[in-house]
């Protein structure tokens, strides 16, 4: 029998499977009915060992005859070995099956079996033992072949039987070269199939999994000591089908390390523990009392390309699972006698999950030095996949940088996400945001914490909203270039804040003690501009997405514009600012302190403007108030804001007057009312400037200064109380790129000064109700220096106006005009000579001589003067020109016209002497001075300028000149 068995084994394996078989010995004892095989090995033709064993003992029992079953008292396998290889085209067993099928004898008739007999073959083994077995598994489909040896495998089964209602016991221990161990004890029945017992897994399994899947996994697993225990029941029956029950499941996994392929750590699991687990199939229920994750460390890294180190790992795991998933299997027909089972939905319930993250570190490599570290304690209770069942959540985060975050409440995940969580964030430090701020500005966070206290609730599908309070305390932003505070806020509080994906609602925003530092450098740039860091230019249209790709962006922009914002009001207390302007000839510095006020309710969905009221202190004794209304989301449509400065010390603003007009301010205080009125983009501002006790200082050269006669302008503008009161209107359109509000104010002010100095008497006339252009002109009759009654009234009113401008002086020039004044003086001189000669002839200007009339005597005197002057034509020739013939033909002589013609000729021949004209000019200036003095103007405010004689012009009009004292 041994010889026959060995030959049959050799020939069958060689002919049918192309395998070589080597057997050291085969012995059979016919008396004890035992079979022993020693050192049986099966090899491939190339010598590769496929299977084998050191010893096989089969002890047959004669009781088989009585049981009507194949019975063995003993079946012992010593150090059995099996090699399983997975190849790109299949595996070891598939290859052997193909060989067997190919070598089948087609002439052999198929053995017919009775499909109606579903009973298993009758078999009984009293003692089945497998000692020191090994299994070599090699997967050649990997980039680097995976190989593992499992063993020793020890198995002991007592009373293994396929006889009905017969069960035995089994004990299995499987170990691996990595030190893992599986122990299995329990009972086993094969007819019907039923097994119950306990299973325990020990050892470090994660490294084995990693070695096998490392081609697909971007992370590495190391360590991880596992200890899993469970009780099981597996049964197959014709009535209930297949049943699997796992209960009393408990297990732990300790010291598992997860890292990237390059060794960078991802996380560490200090200890995982499962308590009270159970699974029942086909009821499809899973119950777990508790899952504990203790002393967990996790390193989350945002790479330079903005990807996370965890996400590629998860993606790769999904790809691995997809690659490893077999093709959908064909429908399985239940075994004969086993009823077909219907699948029920899974019912999963976990009473509690407790997570202790002893360190959760986030590092952002896309931003230098960015990161945050925290601890997390999280407890989830009542976890289930049943719709409408809330999950309890209790969590606390303790940030290493400072602050805690508590999140407690419930969350319902099915049929849709529905959360209700209480959020309490206390003293969260802003310092971790520094690296992100440093990418945009050279600004350092010197301090600051935020706080939240409220609730997070689910809103519409896929959206959430926060409702509660918000605080910001002790914020300090430092200018890292100037090494000084740029902005600070003592406190910012919101009593009720509601944030949702489509709206922001704030009950009231209170800001306490905000401070800002503003500085203008010599080149005109501000300290805020200098802190900003240039950013890369945005993509051009050529590199932008296609129209279809841009559509979502355009949609998101439209949605952003539709975002509704409502603020119940804004309050500011004790605000301050420090302003420095180094671009001026003299450094300028001013401070605003104690600014407080409010802004009324405002909303992006309402056209009702927000009202604002503020009041503060400027420098030591000045005051500023701000009031008005505006639409914050459309300020160009409607803005009406009035800014009022009171009692501002003017010497402090000397740097600006130097740049504007080249003059310092020695003394003075001002009140300034600025009105910013915008409607539909059009500016219509009315600004009022009131200056008290203004004294100009020295002149300072500045290239941008306007050449303005400020001394005279100030004297013209100051009233009797030393006050300057000006209205400066400003108009323009914000759509005009050339329009600047500040530039418009300066332009209007400059034009005002120029016009004022060019026409000072217009201002003086306006003070007394006389705005005519001739208010500064005194008109004299030709050749005369006396003031006519209208001119006397004008001079008196001028004196009244001067009384209201005590810093003004008047200069009265002397003026005479050729030929008007010269002819008048010559006529006066000739008339005087005529009168003198007439008086000499008769002793009386009215006496008659030789019986002649006065007109005839005057004519003879004029003729004598005419002849003495040697004027041509002579009188006899001239007479003929004045003979007239009447209607009757009688000639008449026109003596009056004859005398007038000779008088005109005498005047033309005798121009007034320059001395006489100068004297007339001086008399006229004296007449104006006397009239002003008589009207109450002191002589110290009146002066005479150099007299002038001009060669042409209308009758003398003296233009008075206004000068500043």
């Amino acid at each position: 029998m041994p010889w026959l068995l060995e030959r049959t084994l050799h020939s069958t394996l060689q002919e049918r499977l192309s395998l070589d078989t080597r057997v050291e010995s085969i012995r059979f004892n016919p008396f004890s009915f035992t079979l022993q095989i020693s050192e049986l090995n099966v090899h491939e033709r190339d010598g590769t060992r496929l299977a084998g064993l050191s010893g096989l003992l089969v002890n047959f029992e004669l009781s088989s005859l009585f049981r009507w079953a194949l019975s063995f008292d003993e079946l012992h396998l010593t150090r059995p070995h099996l090699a399983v290889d997975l190849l790109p085209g299949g595996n070891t067993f598939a290859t052997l099956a193909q060989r067997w099928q190919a070598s089948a004898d087609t002439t052999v008739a198929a053995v017919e079996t009775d499909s109606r007999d579903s009973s298993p073959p009758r078999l009984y083994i009293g003692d089945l033992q497998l000692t020191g077995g090994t299994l070599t598994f090699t997967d050649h489909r990997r980039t680097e072949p995976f190989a593992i040896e499992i063993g020793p495998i020890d198995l002991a089964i007592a009373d293994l039987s396929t006889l009905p209602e017969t069960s035995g016991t089994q004990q299995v221990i499987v170990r691996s070269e990595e030190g893992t161990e599986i122990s299995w004890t329990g009972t086993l029945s094969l007819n019907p199939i039923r097994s119950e017992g306990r299973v325990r897994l020990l050892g470090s399994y994660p490294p084995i999994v990693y070695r096998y899947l490392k081609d697909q996994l971007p992370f590495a697993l190391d360590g991880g000591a596992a200890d899993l225990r469970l009780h099981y029941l597996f049964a197959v029956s014709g009535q209930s089908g297949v049943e699997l029950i796992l209960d009393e499941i408990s297990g732990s996994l300790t010291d598992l390390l997860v890292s990237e392929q390059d060794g960078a750590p991802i996380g560490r699991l200090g200890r995982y523990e499962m308590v009270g687990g159970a699974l029942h199939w086909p009821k499809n229920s899973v119950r777990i009392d508790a899952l504990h994750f203790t002393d967990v460390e996790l390193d989350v890294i945002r790479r330079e390309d903005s990807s996370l180190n965890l996400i590629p790992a998860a993606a790769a795991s999904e790809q691995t699972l997809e690659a490893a998933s077999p093709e959908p299997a064909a429908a399985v027909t239940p075994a004969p006698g086993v009823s077909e089972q219907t699948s029920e939905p899974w019912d999963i319930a976990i009473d509690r999950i407790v997570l202790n993250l002893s360190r959760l570190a986030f590092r952002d490599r896309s931003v230098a030095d960015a990161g945050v570290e925290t601890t997390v304690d999280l407890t989830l209770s009542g976890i289930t996949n049943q719709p409408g069942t809330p999950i309890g959540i209790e969590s606390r985060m303790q940030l290493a940088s400072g602050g805690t975050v508590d999140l407690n409440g419930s969350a319902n995940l099915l049929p849709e996400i529905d959360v209700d969580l209480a959020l309490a964030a206390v003293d969260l430090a802003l310092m971790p945001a520094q690296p992100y701020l440093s990418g945009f500005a050279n600004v350092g966070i010197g301090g600051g914490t935020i706080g939240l206290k409220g609730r997070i609730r689910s809103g519409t599908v896929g959206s959430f909203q926060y409702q509660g309070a918000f605080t910001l305390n002790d914020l300090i932003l430092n200018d890292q270039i100037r090494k000084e505070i740029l902005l600070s806020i003592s406190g910012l509080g919101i009593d009720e804040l509601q944030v949702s994906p489509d709206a922001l609602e704030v009950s009231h925003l209170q800001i306490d003690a905000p401070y800002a530092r503003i500085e203008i450098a010599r080149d005109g740039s501000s300290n805020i501009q200098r802190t900003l860091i240039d950013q890369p230019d945005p993509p051009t249209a050529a590199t932008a997405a296609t129209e279809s790709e841009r559509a979502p962006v355009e949609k998101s922009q439209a949605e952003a514009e539709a975002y509704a914002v409502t603020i119940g009001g804004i309050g500011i207390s004790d605000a301050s600012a420090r302003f420095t302007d180094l671009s001026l000839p003299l450094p300028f510095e001013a401070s605003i302190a104690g600014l407080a006020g409010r802004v009324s309710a405002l909303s992006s969905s309402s056209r009702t403007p927000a009202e604002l009221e503020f009041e503060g202190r400027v420098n030591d004794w000045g005051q500023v108030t701000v009031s008005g209304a505006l639409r914050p989301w459309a300020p160009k449509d409607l803005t009406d804001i009035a800014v009022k400065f009171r009692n501002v010390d003017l010497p402090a603003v000397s740097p600006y007057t130097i740049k504007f007009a080249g003059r310092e301010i020695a003394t003075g205080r001002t009140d300034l009312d600025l009105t910013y009125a915008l409607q539909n983009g059009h500016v219509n501002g009315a600004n009022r400037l009131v200056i008290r006790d203004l004294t100009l200082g020295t002149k300072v050269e500045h290239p941008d200064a306007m050449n303005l006669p400020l001394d005279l302008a100030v004297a013209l503008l100051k009233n009797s109380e030393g006050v300057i009161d000006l209205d400066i209107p400003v108009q323009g359109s914000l759509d005009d790129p050339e329009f600047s509000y500040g530039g418009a104010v300066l332009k209007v002010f400059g034009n005002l000064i120029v016009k004022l100095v060019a026409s000072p008497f217009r201002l003086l006339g306006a003070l007394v109700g006389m705005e005519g252009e001739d208010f500064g002109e005194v008109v004299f009759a030709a050749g005369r220096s006396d003031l006519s009654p209208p001119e006397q009234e004008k001079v008196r009113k001028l004196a009244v106006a001067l009384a209201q401008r005590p810093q003004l002086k008047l200069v009265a020039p002397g003026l005479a005009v050729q030929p008007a004044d010269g002819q008048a003086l010559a006529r006066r001189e000739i008339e005087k000579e005529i009168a003198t000669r007439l008086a000499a002839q008769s002793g009386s200007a009215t006496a008659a001589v030789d019986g002649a009339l006065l007109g005839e005597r005057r004519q003879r005197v004029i003729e004598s003067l005419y002849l003495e002057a040697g004027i041509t034509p002579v009188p006899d020739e001239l007479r003929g020109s004045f003979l007239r013939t009447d209607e009757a033909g009688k000639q008449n002589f026109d003596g009056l016209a004859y005398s007038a013609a000779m008088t005109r000729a005498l005047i033309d021949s005798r121009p007034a002497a320059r001395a006489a004209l100068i004297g007339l000019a001086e008399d006229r200036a004296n007449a104006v001075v006397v009239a002003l003095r008589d009207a109450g103007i002191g002589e110290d405010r009146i002066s005479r300028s150099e007299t002038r004689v001009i060669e042409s012009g209308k009758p003398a009009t003296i233009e008075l000149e206004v000068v500043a004292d």
Side-chain angles (χ1 to χ4, degrees):
M1 183 177 177
W3 175 83
L4 179 61
L5 182 60
E6 182 176 355
R7 283 185 59 83
T8 302
L9 186 62
H10 272 291
S11 62
T12 301
L13 294 182
Q14 186 175 30
E15 293 173 5
R16 300 295 302 273
L17 299 177
S18 300
L19 298 176
D20 292 334
T21 305
R22 300 172 189 173
V23 181
E24 181 178 289
S25 66
I26 299 178
R27 295 190 299 274
F28 179 74
N29 188 337
F31 300 101
S32 61
F33 225 56
T34 59
L35 174 68
Q36 289 182 306
I37 301 177
S38 299
E39 300 299 334
L40 169 64
N41 290 288
V42 179
H43 296 81
E44 291 278 5
R45 291 290 178 86
D46 60 0
T48 303
R49 187 185 185 197
L50 183 62
L53 49 81
S54 294
L56 171 65
L57 170 64
V58 180
N59 186 2
F60 297 94
E61 283 189 349
L62 293 177
S63 59
S64 301
L65 300 175
F66 304 101
R67 289 194 178 105
W68 293 100
L70 183 62
S71 301
F72 301 93
D73 183 54
E74 296 174 309
L75 179 58
H76 295 176
L77 290 88
T78 306
R79 294 197 296 276
H81 173 77
L82 179 65
V84 178
D85 289 352
L86 296 183
L87 305 171
N91 55 62
T92 304
F93 299 106
T95 302
L96 294 177
Q98 291 173 359
R99 293 179 188 176
W100 184 271
Q101 185 67 28
S103 63
D105 187 358
T106 57
T107 63
V108 178
V111 178
E112 294 185 0
T113 59
D114 188 357
S115 61
R116 293 174 296 176
D117 185 7
S118 60
S119 300
R122 295 172 66 83
L123 174 68
Y124 173 79
I125 303 175
D127 181 15
L128 173 63
Q129 293 187 21
L130 187 152
T131 306
T134 57
L135 171 66
T136 301
F137 174 79
T138 305
D139 191 344
H140 296 276
R141 300 173 303 176
R142 308 283 156 179
T143 304
E144 179 181 341
F146 170 82
I148 185 173
E149 181 174 299
I150 300 174
I153 302 172
D154 297 317
L155 181 150
I157 301 177
D159 299 324
L160 178 65
S161 174
T162 63
L163 301 179
E165 306 299 333
T166 303
S167 64
T169 61
Q170 78 276 353
Q171 180 176 352
V172 180
I173 299 177
V174 179
R175 300 179 178 89
S176 72
E177 60 183 350
E178 276 79 3
T180 62
E181 178 181 312
I182 300 175
S183 62
W184 174 22
T185 61
T187 62
L188 176 62
S189 171
L190 298 179
N191 188 12
I193 298 176
R194 188 179 189 278
S195 180
E196 182 178 5
R198 297 186 180 276
V199 177
R200 184 179 184 184
L201 284 76
L202 288 172
S204 184
Y205 287 92
I208 300 176
V209 175
Y210 168 67
R211 277 205 308 120
Y212 183 67
L213 297 177
K214 68 178 181 180
D215 288 347
Q216 288 77 33
L217 297 179
F219 57 84
L221 300 177
D222 190 18
D227 185 359
L228 175 65
R229 308 182 187 195
L230 60 87
H231 172 267
Y232 76 93
L233 171 62
F234 176 77
V236 179
S237 65
Q239 290 75 27
S240 59
V242 179
E243 183 179 18
L244 174 64
I245 297 176
L246 305 179
D247 57 9
E248 300 180 25
I249 303 174
S250 63
S252 64
L253 181 64
T254 58
D255 297 325
L256 173 64
L257 301 178
V258 182
S259 60
E260 298 186 60
Q261 294 285 11
D262 60 2
I266 293 178
R268 183 184 74 85
L269 175 60
R271 180 175 179 80
Y272 157 76
E273 184 175 6
M274 180 172 63
V275 180
L279 180 147
H280 192 165
W281 188 81
K283 290 184 178 180
N284 293 352
S285 68
V286 175
R287 294 287 185 273
I288 300 175
D289 291 342
L291 297 177
H292 293 271
F293 299 85
T294 307
D295 193 18
V296 180
E297 297 181 5
L298 186 61
D299 290 276
V300 181
I301 297 175
R302 182 174 183 250
R303 301 188 179 95
E304 288 80 356
D305 60 357
S306 299
S307 64
L308 294 178
N309 62 334
L310 301 183
I311 293 179
S317 299
E318 293 176 0
Q319 294 174 0
T320 301
L321 292 176
E322 291 176 359
S325 299
E327 293 294 328
V332 178
T333 303
V338 179
S339 62
E340 184 176 355
Q341 293 177 276
T342 59
S343 177
E344 295 185 7
W346 282 93
D347 180 9
I348 302 174
I350 304 174
D351 288 346
R352 187 171 67 259
I353 297 178
V354 179
L355 172 64
N356 165 239
L357 276 169
S358 59
R359 185 177 67 87
L360 172 60
F362 173 74
R363 298 288 181 268
D364 194 342
R365 292 178 179 171
S366 65
V367 179
D369 301 325
V372 65
E373 193 168 303
T374 181
T375 63
V376 179
D377 289 305
L378 171 65
T379 300
L380 304 177
S381 58
I383 302 99
T384 177
N385 66 338
Q386 298 304 308
T389 304
I391 299 173
I393 299 175
E394 295 181 10
S395 69
R396 161 161 284 207
M397 294 177 59
Q398 181 77 50
L399 279 78
S401 57
T404 60
V405 179
D406 292 328
L407 198 62
N408 302 297
S410 63
N412 197 343
L413 304 181
L414 298 172
E416 62 185 32
I417 297 178
D418 183 11
V419 300
D420 186 358
L421 300 172
L423 171 65
V426 180
D427 296 334
L428 297 182
L430 293 175
M431 289 298 295
Q434 177 62 62
Y436 298 96
L437 180 59
S438 297
F440 296 93
N442 291 308
V443 175
I445 300 177
T449 61
I450 62 174
L452 294 165
K453 186 175 183 181
R455 302 194 75 83
I456 297 176
R457 292 185 175 92
S458 59
T460 57
V461 177
S463 67
F464 298 89
Q465 66 179 19
Y466 168 78
Q467 185 173 4
F470 173 84
T471 58
L472 171 65
N473 296 311
D474 303 322
L475 172 66
I476 299 176
L477 298 180
N478 295 317
D479 184 337
Q480 294 180 324
I481 298 176
R482 301 286 299 173
K483 307 300 181 184
E484 62 183 3
I485 294 178
L486 181 66
L487 174 70
S488 67
I489 296 177
S490 175
L492 184 153
I494 300 175
D495 296 333
E496 191 70 23
L497 169 69
Q498 184 166 311
V499 183
S500 65
D502 55 1
L504 168 66
E505 294 185 31
V506 175
S507 60
H508 182 78
L509 175 63
Q510 180 64 39
I511 305 175
D512 297 326
Y515 165 80
R517 176 73 171 101
I518 303 174
E519 179 181 285
I520 308 299
R522 294 189 181 277
D523 60 0
S525 64
S526 69
N527 57 336
I528 298 177
Q529 288 175 306
R530 293 194 300 273
T531 62
L532 299 179
I533 298 175
D534 292 337
Q535 301 298 316
D537 294 332
T540 62
T543 60
T546 62
E547 291 298 327
S548 60
E549 293 172 334
R550 286 196 298 266
V553 177
E554 295 171 355
K555 180 180 179 182
S556 64
Q557 292 174 345
E559 291 174 349
E561 293 174 357
Y563 192 81
V565 178
T566 301
I567 302 176
I570 301 175
I572 298 178
S573 65
D574 197 23
S576 59
R578 181 182 167 202
F579 178 78
T580 302
D581 193 340
L582 302 177
S583 67
L584 303 170
L586 298 176
F588 169 74
E589 187 165 334
S591 62
I592 296 177
L595 183 69
R598 69 174 190 91
V599 178
S600 67
L602 49 99
S603 174
S604 62
S605 59
S606 174
R607 294 184 60 81
T608 301
E611 299 177 355
L612 54 138
E613 296 178 357
F614 292 97
E615 180 179 323
R617 185 176 71 252
V618 179
N619 291 332
D620 294 331
W621 308 107
Q623 182 188 44
V624 59
T625 61
V626 181
S627 62
L630 80 161
R631 291 180 186 153
W633 284 267
K636 291 173 63 176
D637 293 346
L638 178 62
T639 297
D640 190 0
I641 298 177
V643 182
K644 297 182 179 181
F645 292 90
R646 294 290 180 267
N647 200 38
V648 177
D649 191 15
L650 281 178
V653 300
S654 282
Y656 288 99
T657 60
I658 291 173
K659 186 174 182 180
F660 172 62
R663 293 293 294 273
E664 290 184 355
I665 296 179
T667 62
R669 293 188 175 276
T670 184
D671 297 340
L672 180 61
D673 295 352
L674 304 176
T675 301
Y676 301 92
L678 282 77
Q679 189 167 11
N680 298 325
H682 185 76
V683 179
N684 189 10
N687 305 304
R688 186 183 180 196
L689 177 65
V690 178
I691 302 175
R692 297 178 179 86
D693 304 323
L694 174 63
T695 303
L696 294 175
T698 59
K699 291 185 177 181
V700 179
E701 295 295 331
H702 192 276
D704 297 330
M706 298 175 66
N707 186 17
L708 298 176
L710 287 183
D711 293 289
L712 177 56
V714 169
L716 286 168
L717 293 173
K718 274 189 178 181
N719 62 20
S720 59
E721 298 177 354
V723 176
I724 296 175
D725 193 340
L726 290 178
D727 288 325
I728 306 175
V730 176
Q731 292 186 344
S733 174
L734 293 181
D735 296 329
D736 183 359
E738 301 296 327
F739 178 79
S740 165
Y741 194 92
V745 171
L746 294 178
K747 183 177 180 180
V748 172
F749 184 73
N751 292 339
L752 173 65
I753 298 299
V754 171
K755 291 180 180 179
L756 182 65
V757 173
S759 305
F761 289 98
R762 184 183 294 275
L763 171 65
L764 294 175
L767 296 177
V768 293
M770 295 181 65
E771 299 184 10
E773 293 288 348
D774 61 349
F775 189 64
E777 299 177 349
V778 181
V779 180
F780 290 89
R784 296 175 58 178
S785 61
D786 60 314
L787 293 173
S788 66
E791 300 304 308
Q792 292 177 14
E793 180 188 21
K794 183 188 298 184
V795 172
R796 286 185 176 274
K797 287 190 175 183
L798 179 58
V800 174
L802 288 174
Q804 299 182 43
R805 294 293 184 269
Q807 289 190 335
L808 289 179
K809 287 184 177 181
L810 277 184
V811 177
L815 180 66
V817 182
Q818 279 280 31
D821 285 333
Q823 290 178 347
L825 289 177
R827 181 181 293 278
R828 186 183 303 165
E829 183 180 350
I830 290 171
E831 291 292 342
K832 185 177 181 181
E833 291 182 6
I834 292 173
T836 300
R837 291 192 180 192
L838 287 174
Q841 291 176 4
S842 61
S844 172
T846 59
V849 180
D850 299 332
L853 295 175
L854 178 59
E856 294 176 353
R857 288 188 285 113
R858 178 181 175 83
Q859 180 178 303
R860 287 197 292 270
V861 171
I862 293 172
E863 286 178 341
S864 62
L865 292 174
Y866 186 85
L867 289 171
E868 291 172 4
I871 302 171
T872 57
V874 296
D876 290 341
E877 295 176 357
L878 185 61
R879 277 176 174 275
S881 301
F882 295 95
L883 292 175
R884 304 287 187 266
T885 303
D886 60 13
E887 295 179 357
K890 181 181 178 180
Q891 284 190 337
N892 297 313
F893 176 68
D894 189 348
L896 292 176
Y898 170 66
S899 297
M902 288 188 294
T903 301
R904 286 194 298 272
L906 285 170
I907 293 172
D908 293 337
S909 67
R910 298 171 64 179
R914 186 169 185 84
L917 291 172
I918 291 176
L920 176 62
E922 291 177 349
D923 290 343
R924 287 172 171 171
N926 289 333
V928 174
V929 171
V930 171
L932 289 172
R933 186 183 57 203
D934 293 344
I937 302 300
E939 290 193 19
D940 59 333
R941 298 182 60 193
I942 310 170
S943 61
R944 301 170 181 83
S945 65
E946 181 181 359
T947 57
R948 293 180 300 144
V949 176
I950 60 178
E951 299 300 325
S952 62
K954 61 183 180 179
T957 298
I958 293 180
E959 295 182 357
L960 302 177
E961 182 183 357
V962 176
V963 296
D965 185 359

